[in-house]
């Protein structure tokens, strides 16, 4: 989902930057407030960011014969809500843009939008929606993480198709081509992300349920 | 515990399946290349006259250095998760 440095036309790069800024600014405010209100949540915030770091470093092979990586946004979103994770996602993307030449500064706005904003709001929407339907907690976590992962890559495909419409078939034609690269490859990886998110959530609930209750990170009924 | 091992097994299976399939590799590409790079190639196919207007400030000088930094990224993340889980587990058992 990393759009490479310089690979978005100037106007598009600026527009995505403008679109992402308010989310990150409000996210930073929410993050600061959460840390003041519930300072004991710091370790769990670190673990949520850590999960993003690990998962976005794992280039996994896919059935399409290419490699891509999960995002890890789902776990933190379920614990901290979507706003705070926009900031954590941006930190991961900055690390990769500056040290790994993956993604870039000019494309940071677009990449933050797909991974940190769309990714976390989809995870949050799925989580809240399915919790309301009273589905088993692990099923909810799995779907929230996997669909968030898919949504990020579909967003990237749309961003690229908007910037580079096919000369013959236009936006739709280009979208189909970018989706073939990103979205299809991502399906098994999104499933893997779902399983890994359930795994880490199991470990957190087994060991840190008291801390999560004190810091008001999960609904009481799903904590032991 | 059993449940968690099963979850890990699913991930391993999903990761291994692609190696057992046969893939047609496009000319000039190696098998299991990155999707980000393929998108870049696709852009230049759709718009051959597009030239990137900004270059990364710094690029890892070799594939080895790149894998060093990816390894570092994963290590930082794993350390954060491990510290958090270990801290709360230790406190619970104390």
């Amino acid at each position: 989902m990393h759009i490479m440095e310089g690979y978005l036309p100037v106007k598009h790069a600026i527009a995505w930057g403008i679109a992402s800024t308010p989310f990150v600014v409000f996210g930073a405010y929410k993050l600061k407030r959460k840390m003041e209100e519930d300072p004991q949540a710091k370790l769990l915030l670190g673990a949520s960011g850590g999960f993003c770091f690990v998962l976005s470093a794992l280039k996994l092979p896919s059935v399409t014969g290419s490699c891509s990586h999960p995002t890890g946004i789902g776990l933190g979103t379920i614990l901290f809500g979507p706003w705070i994770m926009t900031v954590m996602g941006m930190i991961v993307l900055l690390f990769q843009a500056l040290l790994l030449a993956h993604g870039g500064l000019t494309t940071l706005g677009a990449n933050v939008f797909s991974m940190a904003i769309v990714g976390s709001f989809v995870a949050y929407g799925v989580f809240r929606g399915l919790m309301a339907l009273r589905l088993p907690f692990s099923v909810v976590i799995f779907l929230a993480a996997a669909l968030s992962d898919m949504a990020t890559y579909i967003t990237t495909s749309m961003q690229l198709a908007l910037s580079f419409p096919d000369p013959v078939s236009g936006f739709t034609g280009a979208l189909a081509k970018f989706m073939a690269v990103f979205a299809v490859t991502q399906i098994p990886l999104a499933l893997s992300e779902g399983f890994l998110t359930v795994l880490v959530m199991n470990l957190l609930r087994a060991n840190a349920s008291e801390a999560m209750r004190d810091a008001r990170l999960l609904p009481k009924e799903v904590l032991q | 515990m059993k449940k968690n091992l099963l979850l890990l097994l699913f991930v391993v299976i999903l990761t291994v399946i692609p190696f057992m399939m046969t893939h047609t590799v496009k000319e000039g590409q190696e098998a299991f290349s990155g999707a980000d790079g393929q998108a870049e190639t696709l852009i230049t196919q759709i718009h051959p006259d597009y030239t990137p207007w900004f270059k990364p400030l710094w690029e890892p000088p070799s594939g080895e250095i790149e894998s060093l930094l990816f390894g570092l990224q994963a290590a930082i993340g794993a350390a954060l998760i491990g510290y958090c889980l270990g801290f709360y587990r230790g406190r619970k058992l104390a």
Side-chain angles (χ1 to χ4, degrees), chain A residues 1-2 4-10 13 40 43-44 46-47 50-54 56-57 59-69 92 95-96 98-102 105-106 160 164-167 174 177-178 181-182 188 191-192 195-196 198-200 202-204 206-208 211, chain B residues 1 3-5 7-8 10-11 14-19 21 23-24 30-40 42-44 46-47 50-60 65-67 69-81 83-85 87-89 91-92:
Chain A
M1 46 69 56
H2 292 90
M4 299 288 188
E5 185 76 280
Y7 271 87
L8 275 185
V10 182
Q40 70 273 44
L43 270 187
L44 287 153
F51 192 68
C52 273
F53 260 69
V54 178
S56 58
K59 312 284 197 77
L60 299 169
S62 179
V63 288
T64 47
S66 53
C67 280
S68 189
H69 61 88
V92 178
F95 179 97
Q96 294 181 319
L98 293 174
L99 293 180
L100 294 155
H102 272 267
L105 296 176
T106 61
L160 286 173
F164 302 100
D166 193 277
K177 287 182 186 175
F178 285 113
V181 168
F182 281 124
L191 298 177
S192 287
F195 291 130
L196 289 172
V198 175
L199 171 68
V200 174
N202 283 346
L203 294 172
L204 286 173
N207 295 296
Chain B
M1 194 58 211
K3 251 192 224 165
N4 289 342
L5 285 176
L7 288 167
L8 264 186
F10 289 152
V11 176
L14 281 167
T15 310
V16 172
I17 288 175
F19 298 130
M21 301 167 60
H23 303 281
T24 45
E30 51 180 0
F32 295 109
S33 58
D36 291 344
Q38 289 185 7
E40 196 180 316
L42 189 54
I43 291 171
T44 38
I46 299 177
H47 289 254
Y50 183 80
T51 40
W53 53 281
F54 201 80
K55 283 214 157 61
L57 301 176
W58 185 80
E59 264 182 277
I65 305 297
E66 190 181 345
S67 63
L69 290 164
F70 265 111
L72 181 68
Q73 186 192 327
I76 294 171
L80 286 167
I81 300 171
Y83 183 85
C84 175
L85 279 173
F87 177 86
Y88 285 118
R89 183 168 175 79
R91 201 166 74 168
K92 205 178 81 167

Side-chain angles (χ1 to χ4, degrees), chain A residues 52-121:
Chain A
C52 273
F53 260 69
V54 178
L55 260 69
S56 58
L58 295 179
K59 312 284 197 77
L60 299 169
S62 179
V63 288
T64 47
S66 53
C67 280
S68 189
H69 61 88
T71 68
I73 285 285
L75 180 78
T77 304
I78 289 155
L79 296 178
F80 288 93
W83 298 98
I84 288 176
M85 282 316 279
T86 60
V87 182
M88 304 306 283
M90 193 184 76
I91 294 171
V92 178
L93 288 167
L94 256 181
F95 179 97
Q96 294 181 319
L98 293 174
L99 293 180
L100 294 155
H102 272 267
L105 296 176
T106 61
T107 51
L108 186 66
N111 291 334
V112 164
F113 198 89
S114 64
M115 183 174 121
I117 298 172
V118 173
S120 51
F121 278 88

